[in-house]
């Protein structure tokens, strides 16, 4: 029983750390293997659009060869730092 619970917790932790919100259905998350490897930036050079089963990653600005592709894990409206700071302060 404890082993089964530990496995469930591990699975949920992996999903939570690697899933992205679906832009077309914000109440859902999906796991996209390649996109899960992208890192976060508050000034991303790429963005994504997704459904529950597909994802499209697009450059927001030119990305040089060898440069890391960065997305925001946050919704677009939270990228503005003043709004984000206010939300963090007020919970």
């Amino acid at each position: 029983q404890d082993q089964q619970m530990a496995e469930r917790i591990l699975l949920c932790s992996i999903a939570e750390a690697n899933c992205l919100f679906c832009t077309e259905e914000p109440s859902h998350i999906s796991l996209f293997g390649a996109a899960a490897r992208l890192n976060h930036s508050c000034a991303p050079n790429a963005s994504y659009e997704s459904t529950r089963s597909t994802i499209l990653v697009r450059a927001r600005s030119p990305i040089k060869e060898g440069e890391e592709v960065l997305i925001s894990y946050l919704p677009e409206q939270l990228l503005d730092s003043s709004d984000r700071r206010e939300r963090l302060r007020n919970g």
Side-chain angles (χ1 to χ4, degrees):
Q1 188 71 328
D2 287 343
Q3 179 63 29
Q4 196 174 36
M5 181 58 76
E7 289 174 6
R8 287 181 183 168
I9 291 171
L10 177 62
L11 183 60
C12 288
S13 297
I14 291 168
E16 185 177 353
N18 290 287
C19 286
L20 294 170
F21 284 98
C22 297
T23 58
E24 300 298 314
E25 299 175 77
S27 62
H28 290 76
I29 59 172
S30 290
L31 178 60
F32 303 103
R37 305 296 301 154
L38 297 173
N39 285 318
H40 168 80
S41 173
C42 289
N45 58 11
S47 61
Y48 71 92
E49 298 172 16
S50 62
T51 66
R52 291 189 218 183
S53 60
T54 61
I55 189 164
L56 174 64
V57 178
R58 290 190 173 145
R60 294 171 65 128
S61 59
I63 301 172
K64 297 176 184 169
E65 184 176 339
E67 184 180 354
E68 185 175 14
V69 177
L70 300 166
I71 62 171
S72 174
Y73 298 158
L74 304 172
E76 190 73 31
Q77 61 270 29
L78 292 182
L79 283 180
D80 176 42
S81 59
S82 61
D83 287 346
R84 194 172 81 248
R85 273 194 290 273
E86 183 69 25
R87 288 184 127 216
L88 288 170
R89 243 181 277 167
N90 296 325

Coordinates of all heavy atoms in Angstrom, one line a residue:
Q1 N 0.8 -1.2 0.0 CA 0.0 0.0 0.0 C 0.9 1.3 0.0 O 0.6 2.2 -0.8 CB -0.9 0.0 1.2 CG -2.0 1.0 1.2 CD -3.1 0.8 0.2 OE1 -2.8 0.3 -0.9 NE2 -4.3 1.3 0.4
D2 N 1.9 1.3 0.9 CA 2.8 2.5 0.9 C 3.6 2.6 -0.4 O 3.8 3.7 -0.8 CB 3.7 2.4 2.1 CG 3.1 2.6 3.4 OD1 1.9 3.2 3.4 OD2 3.6 2.3 4.5
Q3 N 4.0 1.5 -0.9 CA 4.8 1.5 -2.2 C 3.9 2.0 -3.3 O 4.3 2.8 -4.1 CB 5.3 0.1 -2.5 CG 6.1 0.0 -3.8 CD 7.3 0.9 -3.8 OE1 7.9 1.1 -2.8 NE2 7.7 1.4 -5.0
Q4 N 2.6 1.6 -3.3 CA 1.7 2.1 -4.4 C 1.5 3.6 -4.2 O 1.4 4.3 -5.2 CB 0.4 1.3 -4.2 CG -0.5 1.4 -5.4 CD -1.7 0.5 -5.3 OE1 -2.3 0.4 -4.2 NE2 -2.1 0.0 -6.4
M5 N 1.3 4.1 -3.0 CA 1.1 5.5 -2.8 C 2.4 6.3 -3.2 O 2.3 7.4 -3.8 CB 0.8 5.8 -1.3 CG 0.6 7.3 -1.0 SD -0.8 8.0 -2.0 CE -2.2 7.3 -1.2
A6 N 3.6 5.8 -2.9 CA 4.8 6.4 -3.3 C 4.9 6.5 -4.8 O 5.3 7.6 -5.3 CB 6.0 5.7 -2.7
E7 N 4.5 5.5 -5.5 CA 4.6 5.5 -6.9 C 3.6 6.5 -7.5 O 3.9 7.2 -8.5 CB 4.3 4.1 -7.5 CG 5.4 3.2 -7.3 CD 5.1 1.7 -7.7 OE1 4.0 1.5 -8.3 OE2 5.9 0.9 -7.5
R8 N 2.4 6.7 -6.9 CA 1.4 7.7 -7.4 C 1.9 9.1 -7.1 O 1.8 10.0 -8.0 CB 0.1 7.5 -6.6 CG -0.7 6.3 -7.1 CD -2.0 6.1 -6.3 NE -2.7 4.9 -6.8 CZ -3.7 4.4 -6.1 NH1 -4.2 5.0 -5.1 NH2 -4.3 3.3 -6.6
I9 N 2.5 9.3 -6.0 CA 3.1 10.6 -5.7 C 4.2 11.0 -6.7 O 4.3 12.1 -7.2 CB 3.6 10.7 -4.2 CG1 2.4 10.6 -3.3 CG2 4.4 11.9 -4.0 CD1 2.7 10.5 -1.8
L10 N 5.1 10.0 -6.9 CA 6.2 10.2 -7.9 C 5.6 10.6 -9.3 O 6.0 11.5 -9.9 CB 7.1 9.0 -8.0 CG 8.2 9.0 -9.0 CD1 9.1 10.2 -8.7 CD2 8.9 7.7 -9.1
L11 N 4.6 9.8 -9.7 CA 4.0 10.1 -11.0 C 3.4 11.5 -11.1 O 3.6 12.2 -12.1 CB 3.0 9.0 -11.3 CG 2.3 9.1 -12.7 CD1 3.3 9.0 -13.8 CD2 1.2 8.0 -12.8
C12 N 2.7 11.8 -10.1 CA 2.0 13.2 -10.0 C 3.1 14.3 -10.0 O 2.9 15.3 -10.7 CB 1.1 13.3 -8.8 SG -0.4 12.4 -8.9
S13 N 4.2 14.1 -9.3 CA 5.3 15.0 -9.3 C 5.9 15.2 -10.6 O 6.2 16.3 -11.0 CB 6.3 14.6 -8.2 OG 5.8 14.6 -6.9
I14 N 6.2 14.1 -11.3 CA 6.7 14.2 -12.7 C 5.8 14.9 -13.6 O 6.2 15.8 -14.3 CB 7.1 12.8 -13.2 CG1 8.2 12.1 -12.4 CG2 7.4 12.8 -14.7 CD1 8.4 10.7 -12.6
A15 N 4.5 14.6 -13.5 CA 3.5 15.3 -14.4 C 3.5 16.8 -14.1 O 3.5 17.6 -15.0 CB 2.2 14.7 -14.2
E16 N 3.4 17.1 -12.8 CA 3.3 18.5 -12.4 C 4.6 19.3 -12.9 O 4.5 20.5 -13.3 CB 3.2 18.7 -10.9 CG 3.0 20.1 -10.5 CD 2.7 20.2 -9.0 OE1 2.6 19.2 -8.3 OE2 2.7 21.3 -8.5
A17 N 5.7 18.7 -12.8 CA 7.0 19.4 -13.2 C 7.2 19.5 -14.7 O 7.9 20.4 -15.2 CB 8.2 18.7 -12.6
N18 N 6.5 18.7 -15.5 CA 6.8 18.6 -16.9 C 5.6 19.0 -17.8 O 5.8 19.2 -19.0 CB 7.3 17.2 -17.3 CG 8.7 17.0 -16.7 OD1 9.7 17.6 -17.2 ND2 8.8 16.2 -15.7
C19 N 4.4 19.0 -17.3 CA 3.3 19.4 -18.1 C 3.1 20.9 -18.3 O 3.6 21.7 -17.5 CB 2.0 18.9 -17.5 SG 1.8 17.1 -17.6
L20 N 2.5 21.2 -19.4 CA 2.3 22.6 -19.8 C 0.8 22.9 -19.9 O 0.0 22.0 -20.2 CB 2.9 23.0 -21.1 CG 4.4 23.0 -21.1 CD1 4.9 23.1 -22.6 CD2 5.0 24.1 -20.3
F21 N 0.3 24.1 -19.5 CA -1.1 24.4 -19.7 C -1.5 24.4 -21.1 O -0.7 24.9 -22.0 CB -1.4 25.7 -19.0 CG -1.5 25.6 -17.5 CD1 -0.4 26.0 -16.7 CD2 -2.6 25.2 -16.9 CE1 -0.4 25.9 -15.4 CE2 -2.7 25.1 -15.5 CZ -1.6 25.4 -14.7
C22 N -2.6 24.0 -21.5 CA -3.1 24.0 -22.8 C -3.6 25.4 -23.1 O -4.5 25.9 -22.4 CB -4.3 23.0 -23.0 SG -3.8 21.3 -22.8
T23 N -3.1 26.1 -24.1 CA -3.5 27.5 -24.4 C -4.9 27.5 -24.9 O -5.6 28.5 -24.7 CB -2.6 28.2 -25.4 OG1 -2.5 27.4 -26.6 CG2 -1.2 28.3 -24.8
E24 N -5.4 26.5 -25.6 CA -6.7 26.5 -26.1 C -7.8 26.0 -25.1 O -8.9 26.3 -25.2 CB -6.8 25.5 -27.3 CG -5.9 25.9 -28.5 CD -6.2 27.3 -29.0 OE1 -7.4 27.6 -29.3 OE2 -5.3 28.1 -29.2
E25 N -7.3 25.3 -24.1 CA -8.2 24.8 -23.0 C -7.4 25.0 -21.7 O -6.9 24.1 -21.1 CB -8.6 23.4 -23.2 CG -9.3 23.1 -24.5 CD -9.5 21.6 -24.7 OE1 -10.4 21.1 -24.0 OE2 -8.8 21.0 -25.5
P26 N -7.4 26.2 -21.1 CA -6.6 26.5 -20.0 C -6.8 25.7 -18.7 O -6.0 25.7 -17.8 CB -6.9 28.0 -19.7 CG -7.4 28.6 -21.0 CD -8.1 27.4 -21.6
S27 N -8.0 25.0 -18.6 CA -8.2 24.2 -17.5 C -7.6 22.8 -17.6 O -7.7 22.0 -16.7 CB -9.7 24.1 -17.2 OG -10.3 23.4 -18.3
H28 N -6.9 22.6 -18.7 CA -6.2 21.3 -18.9 C -4.7 21.5 -19.0 O -4.2 22.5 -19.4 CB -6.7 20.6 -20.2 CG -8.1 20.2 -20.1 ND1 -9.2 21.0 -20.1 CD2 -8.6 18.9 -19.9 CE1 -10.3 20.3 -20.0 NE2 -10.0 19.0 -19.9
I29 N -4.0 20.4 -18.7 CA -2.5 20.4 -18.9 C -2.2 19.2 -19.8 O -3.0 18.2 -19.8 CB -1.7 20.3 -17.6 CG1 -2.1 19.1 -16.8 CG2 -1.9 21.6 -16.8 CD1 -1.2 18.8 -15.5
S30 N -1.1 19.2 -20.5 CA -0.7 18.1 -21.3 C 0.8 17.9 -21.2 O 1.5 18.9 -20.9 CB -1.1 18.3 -22.8 OG -2.4 18.2 -22.9
L31 N 1.3 16.7 -21.4 CA 2.7 16.4 -21.4 C 3.2 16.2 -22.8 O 2.7 15.4 -23.6 CB 3.0 15.1 -20.6 CG 4.4 14.7 -20.6 CD1 5.3 15.7 -19.9 CD2 4.5 13.3 -19.8
F32 N 4.1 17.1 -23.2 CA 4.7 17.0 -24.6 C 6.2 16.8 -24.3 O 6.9 17.7 -23.8 CB 4.5 18.4 -25.3 CG 3.1 18.7 -25.5 CD1 2.5 19.7 -24.7 CD2 2.3 18.1 -26.4 CE1 1.2 20.1 -24.8 CE2 0.9 18.4 -26.5 CZ 0.4 19.4 -25.7
G33 N 6.7 15.6 -24.7 CA 8.0 15.2 -24.4 C 9.1 16.2 -24.8 O 9.9 16.6 -23.9
A34 N 9.1 16.7 -26.0 CA 10.2 17.7 -26.4 C 10.0 19.0 -25.8 O 11.0 19.6 -25.3 CB 10.1 17.8 -28.0
A35 N 8.8 19.5 -25.7 CA 8.5 20.8 -25.1 C 8.8 20.8 -23.6 O 9.2 21.8 -23.0 CB 7.1 21.2 -25.3
A36 N 8.7 19.6 -22.9 CA 9.0 19.5 -21.5 C 10.5 19.8 -21.2 O 10.8 20.2 -20.1 CB 8.7 18.1 -21.0
R37 N 11.3 19.8 -22.2 CA 12.7 20.0 -22.1 C 13.1 21.5 -22.2 O 14.2 21.9 -21.9 CB 13.6 19.3 -23.1 CG 13.3 17.8 -23.1 CD 13.7 17.1 -21.8 NE 15.1 17.3 -21.6 CZ 15.7 17.2 -20.4 NH1 14.9 17.0 -19.3 NH2 16.9 17.4 -20.2
L38 N 12.1 22.3 -22.6 CA 12.4 23.8 -22.8 C 12.4 24.5 -21.4 O 11.6 24.1 -20.5 CB 11.3 24.4 -23.6 CG 11.2 23.9 -25.1 CD1 10.0 24.5 -25.8 CD2 12.4 24.3 -25.8
N39 N 13.3 25.4 -21.3 CA 13.4 26.1 -20.0 C 12.6 27.4 -20.0 O 12.2 27.9 -21.1 CB 14.9 26.4 -19.7 CG 15.7 25.2 -19.3 OD1 15.2 24.4 -18.5 ND2 16.9 25.0 -19.8
H40 N 12.3 27.9 -18.8 CA 11.5 29.1 -18.6 C 12.4 30.4 -18.7 O 13.5 30.4 -18.3 CB 10.9 29.1 -17.3 CG 10.2 30.4 -16.9 ND1 9.0 30.8 -17.3 CD2 10.7 31.4 -16.0 CE1 8.7 32.0 -16.8 NE2 9.7 32.3 -16.0
S41 N 11.8 31.4 -19.2 CA 12.4 32.8 -19.1 C 11.2 33.8 -19.0 O 10.1 33.6 -19.5 CB 13.1 33.1 -20.4 OG 13.5 34.5 -20.4
C42 N 11.4 34.8 -18.2 CA 10.5 35.9 -18.1 C 10.5 36.8 -19.3 O 9.7 37.6 -19.5 CB 10.7 36.7 -16.8 SG 10.2 35.8 -15.3
A43 N 11.6 36.6 -20.1 CA 11.7 37.3 -21.4 C 12.0 36.2 -22.5 O 13.1 36.1 -23.0 CB 12.9 38.3 -21.3
P44 N 11.0 35.4 -22.8 CA 11.2 34.3 -23.6 C 11.5 34.7 -25.1 O 11.0 35.7 -25.5 CB 9.9 33.5 -23.5 CG 8.9 34.5 -23.2 CD 9.6 35.5 -22.3
N45 N 12.2 33.8 -25.8 CA 12.4 34.1 -27.2 C 11.5 33.2 -28.1 O 11.5 33.2 -29.3 CB 13.9 33.9 -27.7 CG 14.4 32.5 -27.3 OD1 13.6 31.6 -27.0 ND2 15.7 32.3 -27.4
A46 N 10.6 32.4 -27.4 CA 9.6 31.6 -28.1 C 8.4 31.5 -27.3 O 8.4 31.8 -26.1 CB 10.2 30.2 -28.3
S47 N 7.3 31.2 -28.0 CA 6.0 31.0 -27.3 C 5.4 29.7 -27.8 O 5.9 29.1 -28.8 CB 5.1 32.2 -27.5 OG 4.8 32.3 -28.9
Y48 N 4.3 29.2 -27.2 CA 3.7 28.0 -27.7 C 2.2 28.2 -27.7 O 1.6 29.0 -26.9 CB 4.1 26.8 -26.8 CG 3.6 26.7 -25.4 CD1 2.4 26.1 -25.2 CD2 4.2 27.3 -24.4 CE1 1.8 26.0 -23.9 CE2 3.7 27.3 -23.1 CZ 2.5 26.6 -22.8 OH 2.0 26.6 -21.6
E49 N 1.6 27.4 -28.5 CA 0.1 27.2 -28.6 C -0.1 25.8 -28.5 O 0.6 25.0 -29.1 CB -0.5 27.8 -29.9 CG -0.2 29.2 -30.1 CD -0.6 29.6 -31.6 OE1 -1.3 28.9 -32.2 OE2 -0.2 30.7 -32.0
S50 N -1.1 25.4 -27.7 CA -1.4 23.9 -27.5 C -2.8 23.6 -27.3 O -3.6 24.4 -26.8 CB -0.5 23.4 -26.4 OG -0.9 24.0 -25.2
T51 N -3.1 22.3 -27.7 CA -4.4 21.7 -27.3 C -4.0 20.6 -26.4 O -2.9 20.5 -26.0 CB -5.1 21.1 -28.6 OG1 -4.3 20.1 -29.1 CG2 -5.3 22.2 -29.7
R52 N -4.9 19.7 -26.1 CA -4.6 18.6 -25.3 C -3.6 17.6 -25.9 O -3.0 16.8 -25.3 CB -5.9 17.8 -24.8 CG -6.7 18.6 -23.9 CD -7.8 17.7 -23.4 NE -9.1 18.4 -23.3 CZ -10.2 17.9 -22.8 NH1 -10.2 16.6 -22.4 NH2 -11.3 18.6 -22.7
S53 N -3.6 17.6 -27.3 CA -2.8 16.6 -28.0 C -1.7 17.2 -28.9 O -0.9 16.4 -29.4 CB -3.7 15.7 -28.8 OG -4.4 16.4 -29.7
T54 N -1.7 18.5 -29.1 CA -0.7 19.0 -30.0 C -0.1 20.3 -29.4 O -0.7 21.0 -28.7 CB -1.2 19.4 -31.4 OG1 -2.3 20.3 -31.3 CG2 -1.8 18.1 -32.1
I55 N 1.2 20.6 -29.8 CA 1.8 21.8 -29.4 C 2.6 22.4 -30.6 O 3.1 21.7 -31.4 CB 2.8 21.6 -28.2 CG1 3.2 22.9 -27.6 CG2 3.9 20.7 -28.5 CD1 3.8 22.9 -26.2
L56 N 2.6 23.7 -30.7 CA 3.3 24.4 -31.7 C 4.2 25.5 -31.0 O 3.6 26.3 -30.3 CB 2.3 25.1 -32.7 CG 3.0 26.0 -33.7 CD1 3.9 25.2 -34.7 CD2 1.9 26.7 -34.5
V57 N 5.5 25.4 -31.2 CA 6.4 26.3 -30.6 C 6.9 27.2 -31.7 O 7.3 26.8 -32.7 CB 7.6 25.6 -29.9 CG1 8.6 26.6 -29.3 CG2 7.1 24.6 -28.8
R58 N 6.8 28.6 -31.4 CA 7.2 29.6 -32.4 C 8.2 30.5 -31.8 O 8.0 30.9 -30.7 CB 5.9 30.4 -32.9 CG 5.0 29.6 -33.7 CD 4.0 30.6 -34.3 NE 3.1 29.8 -35.2 CZ 1.8 30.1 -35.4 NH1 1.2 31.0 -34.7 NH2 1.2 29.3 -36.2
A59 N 9.1 31.0 -32.7 CA 10.0 32.0 -32.2 C 9.3 33.3 -32.1 O 8.5 33.7 -33.0 CB 11.2 32.1 -33.3
R60 N 9.6 34.1 -31.0 CA 9.1 35.4 -30.8 C 10.0 36.4 -31.4 O 9.7 37.6 -31.6 CB 8.8 35.7 -29.3 CG 7.8 34.8 -28.7 CD 7.8 35.0 -27.2 NE 7.4 36.3 -26.9 CZ 6.4 36.6 -26.0 NH1 5.8 35.7 -25.4 NH2 6.2 37.9 -25.7
S61 N 11.3 36.0 -31.5 CA 12.3 36.9 -32.0 C 13.3 35.9 -32.7 O 13.3 34.7 -32.5 CB 13.0 37.7 -30.9 OG 13.5 36.8 -29.9
P62 N 14.2 36.5 -33.5 CA 15.2 35.6 -34.1 C 16.0 34.8 -33.1 O 16.5 35.4 -32.1 CB 16.1 36.6 -34.9 CG 15.3 37.8 -35.2 CD 14.4 37.9 -33.9
I63 N 16.2 33.6 -33.3 CA 17.0 32.7 -32.5 C 18.2 32.2 -33.2 O 18.1 31.6 -34.3 CB 16.2 31.5 -32.0 CG1 14.9 32.0 -31.2 CG2 17.0 30.6 -31.1 CD1 13.9 30.9 -30.8
K64 N 19.4 32.5 -32.8 CA 20.6 32.2 -33.4 C 20.9 30.7 -33.2 O 20.5 30.1 -32.3 CB 21.8 33.0 -32.9 CG 21.7 34.5 -33.1 CD 22.8 35.2 -32.5 CE 22.6 36.7 -32.7 NZ 23.5 37.5 -31.9
E65 N 21.6 30.1 -34.2 CA 22.1 28.7 -34.1 C 22.8 28.5 -32.8 O 23.7 29.3 -32.4 CB 22.9 28.3 -35.3 CG 23.3 26.9 -35.3 CD 24.1 26.5 -36.5 OE1 24.1 27.2 -37.5 OE2 24.8 25.5 -36.4
G66 N 22.5 27.5 -32.0 CA 23.1 27.2 -30.7 C 22.5 28.0 -29.6 O 22.8 27.6 -28.4
E67 N 21.7 28.9 -29.8 CA 21.0 29.7 -28.7 C 19.9 28.8 -28.1 O 19.2 28.1 -28.9 CB 20.4 31.0 -29.3 CG 19.8 31.9 -28.2 CD 19.3 33.2 -28.8 OE1 19.5 33.5 -30.0 OE2 18.7 34.0 -28.1
E68 N 19.7 28.9 -26.8 CA 18.6 28.1 -26.2 C 17.3 28.7 -26.5 O 17.1 29.9 -26.5 CB 18.9 28.1 -24.7 CG 17.9 27.3 -23.9 CD 18.2 27.2 -22.4 OE1 19.0 28.0 -21.9 OE2 17.6 26.3 -21.8
V69 N 16.3 27.8 -26.8 CA 14.9 28.2 -27.0 C 14.3 28.3 -25.7 O 14.3 27.3 -24.9 CB 14.2 27.2 -28.0 CG1 12.7 27.6 -28.1 CG2 14.9 27.2 -29.3
L70 N 13.7 29.4 -25.3 CA 13.1 29.6 -24.0 C 11.7 30.0 -24.1 O 11.3 30.9 -25.0 CB 13.9 30.8 -23.2 CG 15.4 30.5 -23.0 CD1 16.1 31.8 -22.6 CD2 15.6 29.4 -22.0
I71 N 10.8 29.4 -23.3 CA 9.4 29.8 -23.2 C 9.1 30.3 -21.8 O 9.9 30.1 -20.9 CB 8.5 28.6 -23.6 CG1 8.7 27.5 -22.6 CG2 8.7 28.1 -25.0 CD1 7.7 26.3 -22.7
S72 N 7.9 30.9 -21.7 CA 7.4 31.2 -20.3 C 6.5 30.1 -19.9 O 5.6 29.7 -20.6 CB 6.7 32.5 -20.4 OG 6.1 32.8 -19.1
Y73 N 6.7 29.7 -18.6 CA 5.8 28.7 -18.0 C 4.5 29.4 -17.6 O 3.5 28.8 -17.2 CB 6.4 28.0 -16.9 CG 7.6 27.2 -17.2 CD1 8.5 26.9 -16.2 CD2 7.9 26.7 -18.4 CE1 9.6 26.1 -16.4 CE2 9.0 25.9 -18.7 CZ 9.9 25.6 -17.7 OH 11.0 24.8 -17.9
L74 N 4.6 30.8 -17.5 CA 3.5 31.6 -17.0 C 2.5 32.0 -18.1 O 3.0 32.1 -19.3 CB 4.0 32.8 -16.3 CG 5.0 32.7 -15.2 CD1 5.6 34.0 -14.8 CD2 4.3 32.0 -14.0
P75 N 1.3 32.2 -17.8 CA 0.4 32.7 -18.9 C 0.9 34.1 -19.3 O 1.5 34.8 -18.6 CB -1.0 32.9 -18.1 CG -0.9 32.0 -17.0 CD 0.6 31.9 -16.6
E76 N 0.6 34.4 -20.6 CA 1.0 35.7 -21.2 C 0.8 36.9 -20.3 O 1.6 37.8 -20.2 CB 0.3 35.8 -22.6 CG 0.9 36.9 -23.4 CD 2.3 36.6 -24.0 OE1 2.6 35.5 -24.3 OE2 3.0 37.6 -24.2
Q77 N -0.4 37.0 -19.7 CA -0.8 38.1 -18.9 C 0.1 38.3 -17.7 O 0.1 39.4 -17.1 CB -2.3 38.2 -18.6 CG -2.7 37.0 -17.7 CD -3.2 35.8 -18.5 OE1 -2.7 35.6 -19.6 NE2 -4.1 35.0 -18.0
L78 N 0.8 37.3 -17.3 CA 1.7 37.4 -16.1 C 3.1 37.7 -16.4 O 4.0 37.9 -15.6 CB 1.7 36.1 -15.3 CG 0.4 35.8 -14.6 CD1 0.5 34.5 -13.8 CD2 -0.1 36.9 -13.7
L79 N 3.4 37.9 -17.7 CA 4.8 38.2 -18.1 C 5.2 39.6 -17.8 O 6.4 39.9 -17.6 CB 5.0 37.9 -19.6 CG 5.2 36.5 -20.0 CD1 5.3 36.4 -21.5 CD2 6.3 35.8 -19.3
D80 N 4.2 40.5 -17.8 CA 4.5 41.9 -17.4 C 5.0 41.9 -15.9 O 4.2 41.5 -15.0 CB 3.3 42.8 -17.6 CG 3.6 44.2 -17.1 OD1 4.7 44.8 -17.4 OD2 2.7 44.8 -16.4
S81 N 6.2 42.3 -15.7 CA 6.8 42.2 -14.3 C 6.0 42.9 -13.2 O 5.9 42.5 -12.1 CB 8.3 42.5 -14.3 OG 8.4 43.9 -14.7
S82 N 5.5 44.1 -13.5 CA 4.8 44.8 -12.5 C 3.5 44.1 -12.1 O 3.2 44.0 -10.9 CB 4.4 46.3 -13.0 OG 3.6 46.2 -14.2
D83 N 2.8 43.5 -13.1 CA 1.6 42.8 -12.8 C 1.9 41.5 -12.0 O 1.3 41.1 -11.0 CB 0.8 42.3 -14.1 CG 0.1 43.5 -14.7 OD1 -0.1 44.5 -14.1 OD2 -0.3 43.3 -15.9
R84 N 3.0 40.9 -12.4 CA 3.4 39.6 -11.7 C 3.8 39.9 -10.3 O 3.4 39.2 -9.4 CB 4.6 39.0 -12.5 CG 4.8 37.6 -12.0 CD 5.9 36.8 -12.9 NE 7.2 37.2 -12.5 CZ 8.0 37.9 -13.3 NH1 7.7 38.3 -14.4 NH2 9.2 38.1 -12.8
R85 N 4.6 41.0 -10.1 CA 5.0 41.3 -8.7 C 3.8 41.6 -7.8 O 3.7 41.2 -6.7 CB 5.9 42.6 -8.7 CG 7.4 42.2 -8.9 CD 8.3 43.4 -8.5 NE 8.2 44.4 -9.5 CZ 8.9 44.4 -10.6 NH1 9.8 43.5 -10.9 NH2 8.8 45.4 -11.5
E86 N 2.8 42.3 -8.4 CA 1.6 42.6 -7.6 C 0.8 41.4 -7.3 O 0.4 41.2 -6.1 CB 0.7 43.5 -8.5 CG -0.6 44.0 -7.8 CD -0.3 45.0 -6.7 OE1 0.7 45.7 -6.7 OE2 -1.2 45.0 -5.8
R87 N 0.7 40.4 -8.2 CA 0.0 39.2 -7.9 C 0.8 38.4 -6.9 O 0.1 37.7 -6.0 CB -0.2 38.4 -9.2 CG -1.2 39.0 -10.1 CD -1.4 38.1 -11.3 NE -2.8 37.9 -11.4 CZ -3.4 36.8 -11.7 NH1 -2.7 35.8 -12.1 NH2 -4.7 36.7 -11.8
L88 N 2.1 38.3 -6.9 CA 2.8 37.6 -6.0 C 2.7 38.2 -4.6 O 2.6 37.5 -3.6 CB 4.3 37.6 -6.4 CG 4.7 36.7 -7.5 CD1 6.1 36.9 -8.0 CD2 4.4 35.2 -7.2
R89 N 2.7 39.5 -4.5 CA 2.5 40.2 -3.2 C 1.2 39.9 -2.6 O 1.0 39.8 -1.4 CB 2.7 41.7 -3.4 CG 3.9 42.3 -2.7 CD 3.9 43.8 -2.9 NE 4.6 43.8 -4.2 CZ 4.7 44.9 -4.9 NH1 4.2 46.0 -4.6 NH2 5.4 44.9 -6.1
N90 N 0.1 40.0 -3.4 CA -1.2 39.9 -2.9 C -1.8 38.4 -2.9 O -2.9 38.2 -2.5 CB -2.2 40.8 -3.7 CG -1.8 42.2 -3.5 OD1 -1.3 42.6 -2.4 ND2 -1.9 43.0 -4.6
G91 N -1.0 37.5 -3.4 CA -1.5 36.1 -3.4 C -2.5 35.7 -4.4 O -3.2 36.2 -5.1

